[in-house]
Amino acid sequence: MSKLQQAIDNLHEADREAAKRSGKSRIHPVSRLCVCMAYIGIVVSFHKYDVTGLLGMSLFIIITGILEDLSFIRGFQRIKYILVFVVLLGAVNPFLDKGIVMQTGSIAVTGGMLSMITLLIKGILTVYCAYHMFMCTGIEQLCRALRCLKVPKGGVTVVLLIYRYIIVLLKEIQRMSLAYRLRAPGQKGIHIKAWGSFAGLLLLRSMERAQNVYDSMLLRGYDGEFRYEILGQEKTGKGLSIAYTAGWIGIFILLRCFPVVQMVGDMIISPGR
Amino acid sequence: MVNLDHLTFTYDGNREVLSDISFHLKAGETVGLIGANGAGKSTLLKILTGLLTDYKGQVKLDGMDVNKKNLAAVREKTGYVFQDSESQLFLSTVYEDVAFGPRNYGYSEEEVQKKVMSALQQVHIEELKDRPIYRMSGGQKKLAAIATILSMEPEVILFDEPSVGLDPKNRRNLINIINRIGGLKIIASHDLDMIFDTCDKTILIEKGKLIFYGETAKILTDQRLLEESGLELPLSMQIRDGNRKINT
């Protein structure tokens, strides 16, 4: 199977898993979205040298992963390319901030090294959080949540169509590259001379197909609103959703304002003190 | 049910695709729409669904003008089965996709479930309801695409080249399904044998002009008229007449 086909299958599989989970979930997508946004906001707000504080925030990712039966390894495989980008960004820090901030034995730890680690942790936690949120709500429910939060219809439709466009684009790339390979045997990749016309044609073809998808949505009553509800979510899940949101945001604030991880660590290392 | 009065449509204001088309279709009819490539069949279907509204003349659906003001009501009454089922199906599973329309029209989840199951039963793919769409064959995708339209219970169903890419068995199955579905059906196709098997009446378009509108049997046996319009006799007619030939 080609890498492109694998990517398309992965996207479809993630979409299907998310739809299945969101169909069973009694927690309203607005709650999940609010918790996710609060989490990302709080993670980003940690000081650039506060590694232990950030480690405490991983609690949410671990608990959500276990409760929602989300595989961390599969998750890593799906988001690894974004994480590579985060690593590349963080790799510059040790060269920019060379001031020594602590000494562990004979090793001098510079501010750049610490900020690189915190940036990596922040990147991993926020990407995992967004991934978990997506896997528990799905794109449809996510858009529904955005509409509930009064995001304009146009904006929500753009989010929905960009997501659908990714799959359409990948499929078109696959078709066109297959057609190219079949007529260019022995050639590795697409020749640089063909890149311009390939990209242009790809854009036109994928836009035409995306237009068809949008037309299909319009013809089946789509107008930017998400009227449907998941059974049980509205009737019995309201209290649960409120508790979920309040509970997690409370825990995040606690972890942000108090050095909980450090306190727990101190208790373990020196319990009698 | 569908009234077209002197319909003219141009792309970009100068390229005339449809020219002075008029006809009247009644509820319950099955009408074929035939013509060579580029004759204007798909454009006509898009006008009937309200996807193209900048036309001249009058287009009425159930007494209502097909224009920007009435789009929601027009689309509630019409269903459009795309030529390319992949473009029509964009959700993760068959159930989700078939439920998309009824959910958008605000039905409760119990009603949505009933409509989805009824639509799937009509095309005999109940067992595929939880199947991921990307793992389905072309024939199954076509049936799922039809189910997405049937779940909305439209009064008019428009099919754009429904038999394209189907093997003989799936094609026969599709013909049987089309014959069982109620309401006004308009089928744009080059598959004249399928038109013969499904349609009471047929409209022939050539270069955007209406050439013939009448009994299907009459037009599909008129070799001269068909050939003048860039078409051929249906294969079944050629064999029956013993004049099957290979055109070069």
Side-chain angles (χ1 to χ4, degrees):
Chain A
M1 191 190 286
S2 71
K3 279 185 181 174
L4 213 52
Q5 183 58 47
Q6 215 164 359
I8 294 169
D9 283 359
N10 273 340
L11 260 175
H12 279 305
E13 199 57 39
D15 203 17
R16 198 170 67 90
E17 268 181 52
K20 207 172 169 183
R21 269 199 195 84
S22 76
K24 287 177 188 166
S25 177
R26 285 175 59 219
I27 296 166
H28 200 281
V30 171
S31 296
R32 288 197 188 274
L33 184 62
C34 289
V35 168
C36 177
M37 288 194 299
Y39 181 82
I40 291 173
I42 289 175
V43 165
V44 170
S45 76
F46 271 86
H47 190 268
K48 62 179 179 176
Y49 299 152
D50 192 358
V51 178
T52 47
L54 275 169
L55 288 177
M57 292 299 284
S58 63
L59 194 73
F60 172 68
I61 303 294
I62 295 166
I63 291 177
T64 311
I66 293 167
L67 290 179
E68 300 289 349
D69 196 21
L70 288 160
S71 161
F72 289 98
I73 296 166
R74 192 187 285 185
F76 178 77
Q77 284 167 347
R78 282 174 177 162
I79 60 178
K80 61 187 172 193
Y81 295 112
I82 306 171
L83 294 180
V84 168
F85 185 66
V86 175
V87 169
L88 285 175
L89 275 180
V92 191
N93 283 21
F95 302 103
L96 299 176
D97 182 1
K98 290 177 181 170
I100 295 168
V101 287
M102 62 187 281
Q103 192 87 28
T104 49
S106 59
I107 303 166
V109 180
T110 65
M113 286 157 89
L114 268 187
S115 64
M116 181 188 75
I117 293 168
T118 53
L119 191 68
L120 288 180
I121 297 172
K122 282 179 183 179
I124 290 168
L125 293 180
T126 50
V127 172
Y128 254 110
C129 172
Y131 169 72
H132 279 188
M133 196 261 304
F134 176 79
M135 290 306 291
C136 295
T137 53
I139 191 73
E140 294 284 317
Q141 292 298 317
L142 184 62
C143 289
R144 180 182 158 215
L146 289 172
R147 276 302 293 148
C148 290
L149 294 173
K150 305 291 175 202
V151 174
K153 281 181 191 180
V156 175
T157 302
V158 167
V159 171
L160 193 62
L161 288 178
I162 285 174
Y163 178 75
R164 301 223 191 290
Y165 184 71
I166 292 170
I167 295 177
V168 168
L169 186 71
L170 286 176
K171 283 183 180 173
E172 278 309 319
I173 293 173
Q174 191 190 24
R175 280 181 200 182
M176 285 177 64
S177 59
L178 177 67
Y180 183 91
R181 280 203 312 275
L182 290 173
R183 285 185 288 154
Q187 210 180 92
K188 268 196 170 180
I190 294 161
H191 195 274
I192 195 161
K193 279 183 183 170
W195 282 11
S197 56
F198 191 90
L201 204 60
L202 175 68
L203 184 72
L204 290 175
R205 284 174 58 151
S206 57
M207 274 172 65
E208 192 186 332
R209 282 204 59 202
Q211 180 67 48
N212 281 345
V213 170
Y214 184 54
D215 285 348
S216 172
M217 288 164 64
L218 290 179
L219 292 175
R220 287 195 273 157
Y222 177 78
D223 60 358
E225 290 295 351
F226 295 82
R227 295 177 184 85
Y228 51 94
E229 295 161 351
I230 287 172
L231 283 179
Q233 231 171 42
E234 309 302 315
K235 291 167 191 166
T236 56
K238 204 171 179 179
L240 184 71
S241 298
I242 292 169
Y244 173 86
T245 314
W248 274 119
I249 292 177
I251 293 170
F252 298 158
I253 292 169
L254 195 75
L255 287 167
R256 178 68 185 88
C257 297
F258 301 98
V260 179
V261 176
Q262 203 174 333
M263 284 154 66
V264 173
D266 287 346
M267 276 196 294
I268 294 168
I269 293 166
S270 50
R273 206 160 52 170
Chain B
M1 187 77 204
V2 171
N3 274 305
L4 265 72
D5 202 12
H6 302 293
L7 167 71
T8 297
F9 182 81
T10 54
Y11 278 114
D12 314 323
N14 50 21
R15 192 162 54 92
E16 198 165 90
V17 182
L18 294 171
S19 174
D20 198 27
I21 305 257
S22 301
F23 58 75
H24 170 68
L25 308 178
K26 291 178 198 150
E29 283 183 329
T30 306
V31 181
L33 186 58
I34 61 173
N37 287 334
K41 305 186 293 293
S42 296
T43 304
L44 184 54
L45 293 188
K46 284 182 179 173
I47 288 172
L48 292 175
T49 55
L51 284 174
L52 299 172
T53 49
D54 297 328
Y55 56 80
K56 285 176 190 159
Q58 201 171 45
V59 180
K60 284 197 173 204
L61 180 85
D62 206 13
M64 180 172 54
D65 281 317
V66 177
N67 56 27
K68 282 179 185 166
K69 279 183 197 166
N70 297 326
L71 275 187
V74 166
R75 286 170 182 171
E76 210 167 341
K77 286 177 185 288
T78 56
Y80 183 34
V81 180
F82 283 60
Q83 181 177 343
D84 174 18
S85 307
E86 288 226 1
S87 301
Q88 183 149 8
L89 306 167
F90 46 79
L91 288 170
S92 53
T93 62
V94 174
Y95 184 94
E96 288 297 313
D97 223 308
V98 178
F100 182 82
R103 279 173 175 164
N104 278 328
Y105 286 114
Y107 289 103
S108 71
E109 204 55 31
E110 288 94 341
E111 284 173 301
V112 169
Q113 201 170 349
K114 275 183 199 163
K115 284 177 187 289
V116 171
M117 290 318 292
S118 162
L120 293 176
Q121 276 161 11
Q122 285 183 69
V123 293
H124 311 299
I125 53 166
E126 307 97 295
E127 73 283 0
L128 298 179
K129 79 179 170 74
D130 296 319
R131 178 81 64 92
I133 281 162
Y134 68 99
R135 287 194 186 151
M136 287 162 63
S137 68
Q140 287 171 334
K141 279 182 190 166
K142 182 60 77 180
L143 296 179
I146 295 172
T148 64
I149 300 307
L150 294 178
S151 66
M152 299 192 303
E153 297 167 1
E155 291 171 32
V156 183
I157 305 181
L158 311 162
F159 294 88
D160 194 357
E161 299 285 3
S163 61
V164 164
L166 296 183
D167 63 29
K169 194 180 166 192
N170 276 314
R171 183 179 161 280
R172 176 50 54 193
N173 186 26
L174 176 73
I175 289 170
N176 292 337
I177 287 166
I178 290 175
N179 284 335
R180 272 200 304 271
I181 298 170
L184 170 61
K185 290 160 279 179
I186 303 173
I187 305 169
S189 181
H190 290 125
D191 182 351
L192 299 189
D193 287 283
M194 192 193 73
I195 295 289
F196 191 75
D197 286 343
T198 52
C199 301
D200 322 307
K201 287 184 177 170
T202 295
I203 296 165
L204 171 64
I205 300 179
E206 189 197 348
K207 290 176 188 164
K209 290 191 171 64
L210 194 143
I211 304 295
F212 177 91
Y213 170 44
E215 298 295 321
T216 298
K218 203 171 174 184
I219 175 74
L220 293 188
T221 49
D222 191 333
Q223 187 170 1
R224 189 187 56 80
L225 189 56
L226 287 174
E227 285 181 354
E228 277 175 5
S229 305
L231 300 169
E232 281 183 351
L233 280 177
L235 202 60
S236 53
M237 297 285 172
Q238 293 179 25
I239 294 167
R240 192 182 301 170
D241 296 348
N243 64 347
R244 189 176 178 186
K245 58 189 177 190
I246 298 167
N247 291 323
T248 54

